[in-house]
Amino acid sequence: MAKLIPCDLHVHPDYSIDSDTSIDRYCMRANELKIPVIGFSTHFDINPARDDIDPFMIVDGEKLRINDYTIGRYMDDCMTARDKFPDLKILIGMEVDYFPGVESEIYRLKQIFDFDYLIGSVHIIDGINIASKREATDYFNINPLVKLAGAYFELLYNAANCGLFDILGHADYYLLRGVFHYGQEIFSIHKSYLEKVVKAMIRTSTGFEVNTSYRRHGGDSFFPQPDFIEDAIGSGAVFNSIGSDSHNVKHLGEGIREAIATLADSGVAIKPFYEADKT
């Protein structure tokens, strides 16, 4: 089995409205931490149900609506960082909040911009951010667990099936807030839906991400949790990315080496979408 180079492929620079760390600062910290590969994945959130909340980027300290100009500035700054930090492998991506209808815009952007990868993630159900401490209970209080499961995994399936994403991000993200409302039963809701999602992923060459941020938020493992990973592997899924979901430089690389070691001990290989160390 090839040794996986320590890498962090889910990093939000301050183009994301919820981040406070510049691309250059992240790169300097990656060098300090001896993480030779960093992947930037600024948020791309344009769900029309949240038109007054999410579809913005920060450019030169100004909050602007996401458009080709703001994405171009982000891409240019990442490419400039490649020149400034020649010993660091810098990959350029976006984390796209998936909703039905986003496909045409993502297809268009892929014709314009030379992304190294795109992460497709599910954050929003019925216009509510189920990962938000402020919003999540608005959804959980009126929907039983079975409805959450059906709605979430239908979105995850559609994200896999469209073939526009390289990675599905933090695939059981509903745990973040949902476990406090629904209890332990939430840990098994994937079992009725995962195989369908994985079949679509195999067809479209999409992989799962291991996202280490769950521990930062009080969990005892990663996204996805071990039972989910085991079931996904059993259905033929590939895990092709690992990231901290950092929104601040202090979280860069957090849990990455531990996750790599833990998964290796369990016999789970991460097969990254970039060229891994073959030694």
Side-chain angles (χ1 to χ4, degrees):
M1 183 184 300
K3 181 182 178 182
L4 178 62
I5 298 170
C7 55
D8 193 338
L9 305 173
H10 194 143
V11 177
H12 293 283
D14 57 6
Y15 278 86
S16 294
I17 60 175
D18 55 357
S19 171
D20 62 4
T21 300
S22 70
I23 289 168
D24 282 3
R25 181 67 189 95
Y26 273 126
C27 291
M28 288 186 283
R29 184 58 176 158
N31 280 335
E32 292 168 1
L33 294 171
K34 294 181 170 50
I35 296 175
V37 183
I38 186 170
F40 291 109
S41 55
T42 197
H43 284 297
F44 183 82
D45 303 340
I46 61 166
N47 191 321
R50 300 171 62 84
D51 187 62
D52 60 339
I53 304 172
D54 293 338
F56 300 95
M57 293 177 74
I58 305 297
V59 179
D60 296 333
E62 185 177 0
K63 185 177 178 180
L64 302 176
R65 281 199 169 267
I66 293 174
N67 56 29
D68 290 0
Y69 168 76
T70 61
I71 296 171
R73 284 291 306 273
Y74 161 66
M75 296 288 291
D76 288 345
D77 280 1
C78 288
M79 288 186 279
T80 298
R82 287 175 172 170
D83 295 330
K84 291 182 179 179
F85 302 93
D87 295 330
L88 183 63
K89 185 177 182 67
I90 298 172
L91 300 172
I92 309 172
M94 292 196 307
E95 183 184 17
V96 177
D97 177 53
Y98 178 81
F99 65 91
V102 76
E103 294 90 344
S104 60
E105 179 63 4
I106 297 306
Y107 180 82
R108 186 187 72 84
L109 291 174
K110 290 182 74 168
Q111 310 312 304
I112 299 172
F113 298 105
D114 188 20
F115 299 111
D116 292 305
Y117 64 106
L118 293 177
I119 302 171
S121 298
V122 176
H123 305 92
I124 309 301
I125 303 178
D126 295 344
I128 297 172
N129 185 343
I130 63 166
S132 165
K133 184 182 294 187
R134 180 176 56 84
E135 298 180 45
T137 54
D138 292 341
Y139 184 88
F140 300 150
N141 284 338
I142 61 174
N143 290 290
L145 184 56
V146 66
K147 185 172 180 182
L148 166 67
Y152 184 93
F153 279 98
E154 183 65 17
L155 290 168
L156 199 66
Y157 166 77
N158 287 337
N161 190 53
C162 74
L164 293 170
F165 303 111
D166 303 282
I167 303 156
L168 294 187
H170 44 58
D172 54 0
Y173 207 38
Y174 47 80
L175 294 177
L176 181 63
R177 307 296 175 197
V179 67
F180 301 108
H181 185 87
Y182 298 108
Q184 293 298 303
E185 188 179 356
I186 198 171
F187 286 98
S188 62
I189 64 172
H190 66 276
K191 292 183 179 294
S192 298
Y193 303 94
L194 187 56
E195 185 176 2
K196 178 182 176 181
V197 174
V198 172
K199 284 181 178 179
M201 295 174 72
I202 293 170
R203 185 169 60 249
T204 58
S205 299
T206 309
F208 280 122
E209 164 195 68
V210 173
N211 186 303
T212 65
S213 69
Y214 191 32
R215 289 194 176 183
R216 187 163 72 242
H217 294 292
D220 60 0
S221 59
F222 313 110
F223 295 120
Q225 46 91 26
D227 194 33
F228 187 113
I229 292 176
E230 182 179 348
D231 291 340
I233 294 290
S235 295
V238 171
F239 284 77
N240 67 348
S241 184
I242 186 166
S244 67
D245 210 341
S246 173
H247 291 70
N248 180 285
V249 70
K250 69 182 180 181
H251 296 137
L252 182 68
E254 192 172 65
I256 294 295
R257 288 181 171 86
E258 180 185 358
I260 291 171
T262 298
L263 293 169
D265 288 346
S266 302
V268 177
I270 299 174
K271 302 174 183 178
F273 57 87
Y274 66 91
E275 186 177 0
D277 184 1
K278 299 298 190 297
T279 60

